[in-house]
Amino acid sequence: MKRKDLLKVLLIGLSLISLLGNAQSINTISGRVTNSKNEVAKDTIKIGKKNTVDLDEVTVVSKVPLFRNKSNGTMEVNVANTILATSTSVTEILSKSPNVIVADNGVSVFGKGEAIIYLNGVQITNERLASIAASQIKKIEIISNPSSKYDAEGKAVINIITVANFEEGYKGTVNQYYSVSDFSAPNAATNVNINYKKRKISLVGGYGLLLGETREILNTTRKRPQEIDNFKSKLKTDWEREYENFSNYTLGGQYDFNEKKYISVEYSGYSNNLGGTTKSENSITSNATNGFFESKIDNDVVTYNNSISANYNTKIDSLGTSLFVGTQYSVFDSETDDYINENNSVNGEESFRNLNNKINHKIKVFSTQTDYTKAFSSKSKLDFGAKYSTVENKSNSDFYVAENGNPFIWDDQLSNNFKYQEMISAAYMNFGGEINEKTNYGIGIRSEFTKYLLNTIIQKKEDYIDFFPSAYLNVKLSEKTQIRASYASRITRPRYQALNPTIIYQDAFTSIEGNPDLKPERTHSFEISTSLNKYNFKVGYNYTTDPISGAALQGSNQNSYVLKTLNLSTLHSYFASLSIPYSTDWWTSVNTINVSYDEFISNDIIFSLKESKPLYYFYSSNQFDIKKIVKVQLLGWYLGEKYDGLFYRKSRSLLTLGVEKSFFNQSLKVKLMANDIFHKDKPVGNYEVGQTFVEYGRTLNTNYYRLILTYNFGKLKKVNYGNTSSGQSENGRVQ
């Protein structure tokens, strides 16, 4: 389907929604609500029907801003009832969230760097992201300078908070998504979520299914100068991934002993049968070679990721003294059986190879933690706790090669056994109090003892201990103005596979090789922020030693390249951010303006250092209520050109339009969404390493049109006290 045809479909859909909205009879009471400043705001009060929802109170429906800046420096992003709720995955939600950048190497926060992910206050692995149903996410907290209470890993924290049911009865939601694109074949997703509560027992369940295809293209050019060997490689890799069955599921239960104490258990996970093909074309010319190399990989990957967690929480007194104990166990298991066909032409001579790559990859993660908060008064409290976690990462790879139709022979160079074991013991203490009515502070320290064992073609054992202090000072200058200063120390450990020195096949002349000598990078982060009314301004500086980076290095022969992770010397990073909200009766807008400046220092002569320049980032989210008939949301961001001394990356941008209409007293919602309308979210850039100049350009499946149908059903009634859902108390624990 061509783009202009898709736009016609979108416009027709908008017209139908408007017509249906005008024809619909809605039982509403329009009113005017006066706030404490005698300012008038418009709200709509909707009374639920008896046969749909059994309520003993009215529900006030109001506009929800996409994000707000909290006084403790955290940015809170609303997902439910915003344009972010049209997403089919957590990764897609994060890619549209303010100040969050999603890339191949993970999720990062602008001006800070890579973030670690929490789910309802408990850290999870990146592998577990796919098991979280996007339709169950209520909001996201972006914490740029975490306290010592958080794991010291990463440079920022993103806490994902799921929807909780506080009322007796049951409530269910069915979401149906259908996406079409010029770039990729269509895909469809279905999510079903049910919450049930009866007196002291709460249950939650969910299931999601994704079917269809997605696509990604990477173009890479590698050049060496004429005086070396006049080498030039033009490589195109085309991933056409097929979701034959991508399911995620959740089942959890909670028992409330009373309104202050509960215990909960939850099982969640996903299974993914991933097929499709990976096609590679590589044209290589040099003084000695004129060749064309192509390969096709028939992908067959089956992945399972399952996790079980148990929590106990009790509130000890009315001041806020509490005890939390939690444990979780996760298993990630992946089986790969890829068949590869290579056809090569070198200086007029033809050859072909058949390859078979079999990989078994398993990760086991166990962690247990306890947190105790002692509140001395409403203004001062002491937090302390401990955590113990272990990781076992095993990978067995067998690679077989059949030259020119001959039988398969096991290749010992591309086959490997990899085992990585890691243990981290941590303890922390935080104290928060106030100096006077206008000044409060917090100070803390975290200690982590890390021990790991690497077994592959080499064996490496290491252990080290680190201390991570943190502090903040908050001063309220007036009723509308306050200023906050904070400091945090963080660590980023190398990814497991980045330590594996065994070669991993990518194409005939490109491979991946880990670096067992990688060091963890350590960061000292400083921030000063001030708020005036609803405006928020923040500046910061990060000093990082042994920053982790990567590049394509020349391999053992003149045509091959190895993708490898490396440590640089230091990184100086500066940033500033301004948040600007705006609101009228029919228009709500929240915006951020950001600038950062990164300067790498490398003692490694293989990198060619360049001039660093500022990087600009703009984000805007807008909601328009058109005559109470339809809700239109427009979201966009722009990420400018990047010059950090090593890498250059062209500017990127994204513009997303969504339209939503509710029917049958909020039971049915119809949404139409056009994502990345101009298809400008494309990472393109270059860098120079050794004698090689590398250019790359990646095209992603971000330009699509999506229809979403959401149906809500259930019967709820108000209870006399509000309890917490599975894991919900941890949200308060990490504020």
Side-chain angles (χ1 to χ4, degrees), residues 88 178-181 183-189 210-216 238-246 273-277 701 704 706:
T88 59
Y178 183 73
S179 306
V180 294
S181 169
F183 181 65
S184 174
N187 60 66
L210 173 62
L211 300 172
E213 298 182 24
T214 188
R215 190 182 182 194
E216 178 181 349
D238 187 349
W239 292 270
E240 294 183 351
R241 301 182 178 96
E242 182 177 350
Y243 297 112
E244 297 178 357
N245 186 334
F246 191 171
N273 189 351
L274 184 65
T277 61
N701 188 30
Y704 53 80
R706 178 174 293 160

Side-chain angles (χ1 to χ4, degrees), residues 416-419 454-460 499-502 516:
N416 73 89
N417 292 318
F418 168 73
K419 184 176 181 180
L454 173 67
N455 276 303
T456 179
I457 57 176
I458 66 167
Q459 184 180 84
K460 184 177 181 181
L499 295 167
N500 185 359
T502 307

Side-chain angles (χ1 to χ4, degrees), residues 37-288:
K37 299 295 182 181
N38 295 322
E39 297 172 344
V40 177
K42 294 182 179 179
D43 285 86
T44 301
I45 301 175
K46 299 193 175 184
I47 303 176
K49 296 181 180 180
K50 182 70 175 178
N51 62 354
T52 304
V53 181
D54 184 13
L55 295 173
D56 57 0
E57 62 178 356
V58 295
T59 300
V60 178
V61 179
S62 61
K63 291 183 291 186
V64 179
L66 185 71
F67 68 88
R68 68 185 181 98
N69 292 286
K70 300 171 70 174
S71 60
N72 62 1
T74 297
M75 177 180 285
E76 185 178 86
V77 182
N78 291 302
V79 176
N81 300 315
T82 72
I83 196 171
L84 300 183
T86 62
S87 305
T88 59
S89 68
V90 179
T91 302
E92 186 179 333
I93 290 175
L94 294 175
S95 70
K96 298 176 186 175
S97 299
N99 299 352
V100 177
I101 300 171
V102 177
D104 288 341
N105 58 351
V107 179
S108 62
V109 174
F110 185 88
K112 303 299 296 186
E114 187 174 355
I116 56 174
I117 308 298
Y118 276 63
L119 177 62
N120 292 326
V122 175
Q123 187 185 0
I124 62 173
T125 61
N126 288 331
E127 288 80 10
R128 274 204 65 198
L129 277 179
S131 68
I132 306 172
S135 57
Q136 277 290 86
I137 297 176
K138 180 181 180 181
K139 60 184 177 180
I140 294 172
E141 294 177 329
I142 303 172
I143 307 168
S144 57
N145 246 24
S147 70
S148 301
K149 184 181 292 188
Y150 294 90
D151 289 57
E153 183 72 22
K155 302 181 183 69
V157 168
I158 294 177
N159 184 33
I160 300 169
I161 300 173
T162 54
V163 176
N165 178 25
F166 295 95
E167 298 172 310
E168 277 204 357
Y170 70 93
K171 180 181 180 181
T173 303
V174 180
N175 291 278
Q176 180 64 52
Y177 309 82
Y178 183 73
S179 306
V180 294
S181 169
D182 288 340
F183 181 65
S184 174
N187 60 66
T190 303
N191 287 107
V192 181
N193 301 288
I194 297 178
N195 292 271
Y196 172 81
K197 178 172 174 57
K198 184 67 173 179
R199 296 178 182 175
K200 294 186 176 185
I201 296 176
S202 301
L203 300 174
V204 59
Y207 176 76
L209 175 64
L210 173 62
L211 300 172
E213 298 182 24
T214 188
R215 190 182 182 194
E216 178 181 349
I217 294 177
L218 173 62
N219 289 289
T220 305
T221 301
R222 301 164 184 150
K223 301 177 184 177
R224 295 196 293 268
Q226 184 172 358
E227 56 269 22
I228 302 297
D229 57 5
N230 201 29
F231 173 86
K232 183 177 182 180
S233 167
K234 295 185 68 175
L235 171 64
K236 177 183 178 180
T237 307
D238 187 349
W239 292 270
E240 294 183 351
R241 301 182 178 96
E242 182 177 350
Y243 297 112
E244 297 178 357
N245 186 334
F246 191 171
S247 301
N248 59 61
Y249 35 83
T250 300
L251 180 62
Q254 175 177 308
Y255 179 78
D256 299 303
F257 298 98
N258 51 49
E259 64 269 25
K260 295 182 179 180
K261 185 189 303 183
Y262 79 82
I263 186 170
S264 66
V265 178
E266 183 175 285
Y267 168 75
S268 63
Y270 74 87
S271 62
N272 183 15
N273 189 351
L274 184 65
T277 61
T278 303
K279 300 175 184 177
S280 174
E281 297 179 352
N282 193 357
S283 174
I284 297 178
T285 58
S286 68
N287 293 334

